[in-house]
Amino acid sequence: MRMLGIETTCDETAAAVVELPPGGRARILSNEVYSQISEHAPFGGVVPEIAARAHVETIDGLVRRAMDTAGLGFSDLDGIAAAAGPGLIGGVMVGLMTGKALALATGKPFVAVNHLEAHALTARLTDDIEFPYLLLLVSGGHTQLIAVRGVGEYTRLGSTVDDAVGEAFDKVAKMLGLPYPGGPHVERRAVEGDPERFQLPRPMQGRPSPDFSLSGLKTAVRLAAEAVAPLNTVDVADLCASFQAAIVDVIVDRVRVAMRLFREQFGAPSALVVAGGVAANDAIRRGLARYASGAGLKLVTPPQALCTDNGAMIAWTGIERLRLGLTDGLDFAPRPRWPLDRQAAPRHHGKA
Ligand code: KG4
Ligand code: ZN
C-alpha cells in the first residue's frame, strides 16, 4: 500500500510518500518539508495570511518532489491523504483542496486526516508499537495527554487550560529577548544556567486530573526577570534553566497522573509516546526517560523530523485508515477545530 500525504495546517508545507509492504514494516519513501519559520520570525509568531500564501506557492512543487524522490507516478499510489484540520483555515484549505484535486484527477481513494491523529499514530510508523499507549503531545499549539486505543479511538485524559508548552517556551523567550521560535533558544541558554537560582511555581503539581496550566509560571518568570532587570547573560541563562526545570517537573508529574488514570481505565499501555516540537527538548526527554525507566515503561520518542509537522505522518495515517476501509468523500469540509476525543469538554485554547 502506498500513500501520498499532504500537510498544511500550520507553518510547515509538507508532502511525503509512505509505503507499507504486505506483511512488512512501513517505509518512508520521501518526506519533503518546507518550513516557513523565516517568513514568520519577524512577526514573532505565525501569521495566518502569510502561512496560507506560502502554502499556495510551495505545495505543487513539494508534491512533485515527494513523488520524484519516491520514484513513483500517481498511478502507483493506493490513495491520497491530506490533513483536513485542526489548524489555520487558510492553510488547511490549500492542502485539502490539493489532495482532493489529485484524488479526483487520479481516481484514487481520498482520506481526510486529523492532524492530531497523525501525531498520535506516528509512533506506529517509526516503532511499530501496539495499541493502547499513552501519548504526550507537546507543541506550540497543543498540549494533551491522550490514551490512544485504536485508529479513531482516543480518550483525552488531560490538556492545558491556558498556554501550550511550546507557546510558554516561545513567550518566555520573547520576554528575555530571544528569537522566535523560542524553545531551542531557551534550551541552549538553560544549559549554562543555574536551575535553582529562581524559585518558580510548578502549577497543577499533584492535582488528580492530569491537566496543565502554564500562564502562572510564565508570569512568575516575568516577575523574576523584572526583579533583576536589566538582565545580563547570566541572568538570562539562570531564568531559562529555572523555567525549563519547572516545565520538566510539571510534565513528569502530569504524565505520572495520566498514566495512573490510563492503567485504571485501559490496563497496561504498550508505551509512553512523546510527540510534537517540544519533544526535541533534551531536558524534557531525560526527565521522561528517568520516569519511564522507574515505572518500567517503554518510552518512544519518534525522530525529531517526525515529531514536528510533516507529510509522512499524514500519509501513514492515510494507510492506517484506508486499510480499515475508512475513506472520505471529496465534499469533506476543512475543520479549523477538530478534537480527537469528541466526548472531551472543549478547551478555549489550542487548535483542537
Ligand atoms: O510541533 P511544532 O513544530 O509546531 C506546532 O506547534 O504544531 O512545535 C513548535 C514548538 C514551538 O513552540 C517551539 O518553541 C517548540 O516547539 N520547540 C521547543 C524546542 N524545539 C521546538 N521547545 C522546547 N525545547 C526545544 N528544544
Ligand atoms: Zn502539529
Coordinates of all heavy atoms in Angstrom, one line a residue, residues 115 119 142 309, ligand 2:
H115 N -5.0 16.1 11.9 CA -3.6 16.3 12.1 C -3.2 15.8 13.5 O -2.0 15.3 13.6 CB -3.4 17.9 12.1 CG -2.1 18.4 12.4 ND1 -1.1 18.5 11.5 CD2 -1.5 18.7 13.6 CE1 0.0 19.0 12.1 NE2 -0.2 19.1 13.4
H119 N -0.2 12.9 14.5 CA 0.8 12.9 15.5 C 0.7 11.7 16.4 O 1.7 11.1 16.8 CB 0.6 14.2 16.4 CG 1.3 15.4 15.9 ND1 2.6 15.5 15.5 CD2 0.7 16.6 15.6 CE1 2.9 16.7 15.1 NE2 1.7 17.4 15.1
H142 N -0.4 22.5 20.8 CA -1.1 21.5 21.5 C -0.3 21.1 22.8 O 0.9 20.9 22.7 CB -1.3 20.2 20.7 CG -1.6 20.5 19.2 ND1 -2.7 21.0 18.8 CD2 -0.8 20.3 18.2 CE1 -2.7 21.1 17.5 NE2 -1.5 20.7 17.1
D309 N 5.7 18.9 12.5 CA 4.8 18.7 11.5 C 5.4 18.2 10.2 O 6.5 18.7 9.8 CB 4.0 20.0 11.2 CG 3.1 20.4 12.4 OD1 2.9 19.5 13.3 OD2 2.6 21.5 12.3
Ligands
ZN2 ZN 1.4 19.5 14.7

